[in-house]
Amino acid sequence: MEAKIVLVGPSKSGKSYMADFLSDDVTSGEEREYIPTRGCRIVSFETNGNKKTDALNVELWDISGLDSYENVWPALADGASGAIVMYDGTKPIDSTELSKWFKPFIKGAGIKTGQCVVFANNPSSDIRDIDFTDLDGPLGKASLFETDITTDPEGVRDAFNALLKGVKQAIVTKRDNEEDNMLNNM
């Protein structure tokens, strides 16, 4: 089973570091210099299955938050089965700014609530400039997680696994519906 998950949000919110962490490319607490993503970077990895679920081949599309790439966002969203909208939780942001990611990536790809999460990335900071409990607008139904790879790497993995559960369920449902339609049209 394969899943394309888009990782979107404003620039400098830690998306590339998060993608590397989720793919086991870096460990928690590893320092790195900021390098802006050019367009899109695809990180591929496999999740482990268990008795209840199959392994999942994940393509995590780390998409630049620079507005100069906005015209290609719909093409990058095509075929996505899940989304992570991520922002820097230490900086003020409002839901209208986050909502700009909704139309091209969530609505455009037909992603439902269980296939989308919002990560308020708070890298080892005691400073909080926003309230993490409320999101309104189109992302209001998405699950919101405060993430910090340095202090709570397992919490980050748990949040990602919650997303994967919804993505797997959507993929299976879509596959079953396609098979039923094919059988019914014979």
Side-chain angles (χ1 to χ4, degrees):
M1 192 179 310
E2 296 182 358
K4 173 183 174 180
I5 299 175
V6 292
L7 176 57
V8 300
S11 294
K12 298 184 180 179
S13 58
K15 295 183 303 292
S16 294
Y17 190 78
M18 181 65 71
D20 290 343
F21 173 76
L22 293 172
S23 68
D24 292 328
D25 220 19
V26 295
T27 57
S28 61
E30 203 173 299
E31 292 281 329
R32 291 196 333 191
E33 177 185 342
Y34 173 74
I35 300 170
T37 301
R38 289 184 154 184
C40 177
R41 179 178 74 103
I42 302 170
V43 180
S44 298
F45 56 97
E46 184 177 76
T47 63
N48 295 327
N50 59 37
K51 292 178 184 176
K52 293 182 182 178
T53 61
D54 295 332
L56 185 64
N57 293 317
V58 176
E59 280 188 355
L60 189 57
W61 290 46
D62 172 16
I63 298 174
S64 175
L66 296 172
D67 289 337
S68 58
Y69 294 106
E70 192 169 353
N71 61 334
V72 298
W73 288 347
L76 295 174
D78 189 45
S81 49
I84 301 170
V85 178
M86 186 166 156
Y87 66 95
D88 182 345
T90 65
K91 296 180 180 170
I93 194 167
D94 64 30
S95 58
T96 28
E97 189 173 343
L98 287 179
S99 293
K100 85 179 209 179
W101 308 100
F102 179 80
K103 187 176 180 181
F105 292 105
I106 290 96
K107 185 177 180 183
I111 292 172
K112 305 292 185 226
T113 303
Q115 300 162 255
C116 178
V117 294
V118 177
F119 283 2
N121 194 33
N122 190 20
S124 300
S125 176
D126 294 331
I127 301 168
R128 287 193 187 177
D129 287 334
I130 64 161
D131 181 4
F132 291 103
T133 58
D134 293 319
L135 262 187
D136 56 3
L139 291 172
K141 293 180 181 176
S143 297
L144 173 64
F145 297 94
E146 183 178 352
T147 57
D148 189 335
I149 294 169
T150 306
T151 61
D152 188 17
E154 287 309 310
V156 174
R157 290 218 185 273
D158 290 345
F160 185 63
N161 288 334
L163 170 65
L164 291 180
K165 182 179 177 183
V167 167
K168 284 180 184 180
Q169 183 178 10
I171 290 170
V172 169
T173 300
K174 181 180 177 184
R175 182 182 62 202
D176 290 348
N177 288 342
E178 288 171 351
E179 288 174 0
D180 288 345
N181 285 339
M182 192 168 56
L183 291 172
N184 290 334
N185 290 329
M186 292 181 107

